[in-house]
Amino acid sequence: MLENLTFKRKYLFMRMPFLLFLFLALPLLGHTQQSDLPKYQIEITRQRIQQDSLFRYGQDSPLPAEEKASFKGLAYFPVNEAYRVQAKFVRTAQETIFKMPATGPRLADYVKYGELHFQLQGRPLQLNVYQNQELIKQPKYHTYLFIPFTDATTGQETYATGRYMDFSIPMGQDSVWLDFNKAYNPYCAYNSGYSCPIPPKENKLPVRVEAGVKTYEKADAGGATQGEEKMPEFPGGIPAFMKFMDKTFVMLPLARNAGVSGTVEFSFVVKADGTLADFQVTKSLRPDVDEAVLHAAKQMPLWKPGMLNGKAVNMKFTAPYRVKSR
């Protein structure tokens, strides 16, 4: 069931190693120091990191197996807090059960549970909220609601069938937050083997919602889509990077005796020829430990450079390294 898969993707990532989470953040945070970002933007960015991780590594990923290796992340609109709006929730009563049309033969039973009334781009708008009648039989989804919608970007920058948002039954309140930055594609956008609900015409918004996930474009053999950027890579990938840093980094005796542990974040520029320059600490742990991390990083071999529109370019890269007393 589609909604079931949607919920699974939020929890599967939690079983992955902590270091994997950190390094999957690199493609999204490579150009900006995370500490300089607003708290809300960091929250959405982390959610996107989790989603991209599930797509590439999760057992329930909708991607065909042959596409996982070249998958470098989904395309997103920039995080924009203007698309996080306050809405009034209105419960609707005595709604009848209906079968929502879908892209495939399997039709699920839904009921209109309520309405969300809100303002976006200066216009009063409304979205209906639906409840899957089979999914609510599972205790952990008892409060789960579903918002399928289309807007003026549908079929252009975003998936032609429409996009979805997750929602929960408000408990004792009618003022809620509606966050279009969390809008995502149905799984049939990535694999025709899925049957996905088609948003009802009542949920067509007459504005451009430039937030959330964009249309999915299959990567070419080189791992990049036409007109998009490809981040630099350490030779051998993330595991090789970790092995190199663990082998090269030397914990200073004073720091070891003091039991220092934590994460140092550092940035550098990967030039078009693969050489590295402009090393800087972006999140300090302790000055002497920071210097030891940079000393190890500066010994890295040539990187595979970043690409933009098929050309190698200079790119800034930010990496975290976990320091442990030993």
Side-chain angles (χ1 to χ4, degrees), residues 196-308:
C196 304
I198 298 174
K201 62 181 181 179
E202 292 81 8
N203 271 19
K204 181 177 181 179
L205 297 175
V207 296
R208 289 177 56 83
V209 179
E210 298 178 355
V213 179
K214 295 183 178 181
T215 299
Y216 174 67
E217 296 183 12
K218 181 179 178 180
D220 60 27
T225 55
Q226 185 68 25
E228 295 188 2
E229 68 179 20
K230 181 181 178 183
M231 296 301 293
E233 294 182 8
F234 185 89
I238 294 171
F241 179 93
M242 283 305 305
K243 288 180 180 179
F244 175 88
M245 289 297 296
D246 288 341
K247 180 179 178 180
T248 310
F249 171 74
V250 177
M251 175 70 88
L252 300 176
L254 286 176
R256 183 187 303 109
N257 294 338
V260 175
S261 63
T263 300
V264 176
E265 291 183 6
F266 60 96
S267 68
F268 52 94
V269 173
V270 181
K271 295 187 175 181
D273 61 1
T275 58
L276 310 176
D278 299 330
F279 285 83
Q280 296 181 6
V281 172
T282 57
K283 181 181 178 182
S284 174
L285 179 60
R286 174 170 147 157
D288 55 347
V289 177
D290 297 345
E291 287 299 320
V293 170
L294 288 188
H295 178 75
K298 289 176 180 178
Q299 300 179 56
M300 290 188 292
L302 294 178
W303 278 51
K304 185 177 180 180
M307 306 291 290
L308 183 62

Side-chain angles (χ1 to χ4, degrees), residues 12 16 23 26 42 51 69 106 149 180 216 298 303 321:
L12 281 175
M16 297 181 181
F23 279 90
L26 298 180
I42 294 174
Q51 179 165 263
R106 187 181 183 281
F149 74 97
F180 289 96
Y216 174 67
K298 289 176 180 178
W303 278 51
Y321 180 67

Side-chain angles (χ1 to χ4, degrees), residues 2 5-6 9 48 51-52 54-56 60-68 71 73-76 103 157-164 182-196 212-219:
L2 176 65
L5 290 173
T6 297
R9 67 185 186 173
R48 292 178 175 183
Q51 179 165 263
D52 287 348
L54 171 60
F55 270 60
R56 183 164 184 180
D60 288 332
S61 169
L63 295 177
E66 64 273 13
E67 292 184 26
K68 284 188 175 182
F71 177 74
L74 299 175
Y76 300 91
T103 59
E157 297 97 324
T158 60
Y159 183 53
T161 297
R163 292 181 289 168
Y164 301 159
K182 298 178 181 179
Y184 60 91
N185 289 332
Y187 275 9
C188 54
Y190 313 102
N191 191 325
S192 60
Y194 289 90
S195 179
C196 304
V213 179
K214 295 183 178 181
T215 299
Y216 174 67
E217 296 183 12
K218 181 179 178 180

Side-chain angles (χ1 to χ4, degrees), residues 24-207:
L24 285 169
L26 298 180
L28 289 174
L29 302 180
H31 297 291
T32 308
Q33 296 182 19
Q34 184 174 350
S35 58
D36 294 338
L37 296 176
K39 181 178 179 181
Y40 172 75
Q41 189 169 350
I42 294 174
E43 173 193 344
I44 299 300
T45 300
R46 285 174 173 168
Q47 291 179 1
R48 292 178 175 183
I49 292 166
Q50 292 178 5
Q51 179 165 263
D52 287 348
S53 174
L54 171 60
F55 270 60
R56 183 164 184 180
Y57 299 101
Q59 294 180 347
D60 288 332
S61 169
L63 295 177
E66 64 273 13
E67 292 184 26
K68 284 188 175 182
S70 60
F71 177 74
K72 299 298 181 182
L74 299 175
Y76 300 91
F77 286 102
V79 179
N80 186 345
E81 199 161 358
Y83 286 102
R84 180 177 182 263
V85 298
Q86 200 158 21
K88 180 179 181 181
F89 175 77
V90 178
R91 177 73 165 96
T92 54
Q94 299 180 340
E95 294 284 347
T96 58
I97 295 175
F98 70 99
K99 290 189 179 295
M100 189 175 292
T103 59
R106 187 181 183 281
L107 306 181
D109 289 334
Y110 284 86
V111 66
K112 178 183 172 183
Y113 190 89
E115 299 173 352
L116 291 171
H117 298 264
F118 57 96
Q119 293 255 348
L120 185 62
Q121 300 173 15
R123 302 181 62 169
L125 301 172
Q126 174 186 322
L127 283 174
N128 293 342
V129 183
Y130 301 94
Q131 186 181 60
N132 185 293
Q133 296 303 286
E134 185 169 339
L135 194 62
I136 60 171
K137 296 176 183 177
Q138 302 181 44
K140 60 182 177 179
Y141 300 137
H142 187 66
T143 63
Y144 173 66
L145 300 176
F146 174 56
I147 308 174
F149 74 97
T150 59
D151 65 275
T153 69
T154 302
Q156 299 182 51
E157 297 97 324
T158 60
Y159 183 53
T161 297
R163 292 181 289 168
Y164 301 159
M165 287 186 290
D166 298 326
F167 194 68
S168 295
I169 296 175
M171 298 300 179
Q173 59 182 4
D174 60 6
S175 180
V176 297
W177 288 102
L178 183 61
D179 196 342
F180 289 96
N181 288 291
K182 298 178 181 179
Y184 60 91
N185 289 332
Y187 275 9
C188 54
Y190 313 102
N191 191 325
S192 60
Y194 289 90
S195 179
C196 304
I198 298 174
K201 62 181 181 179
E202 292 81 8
N203 271 19
K204 181 177 181 179
L205 297 175
V207 296

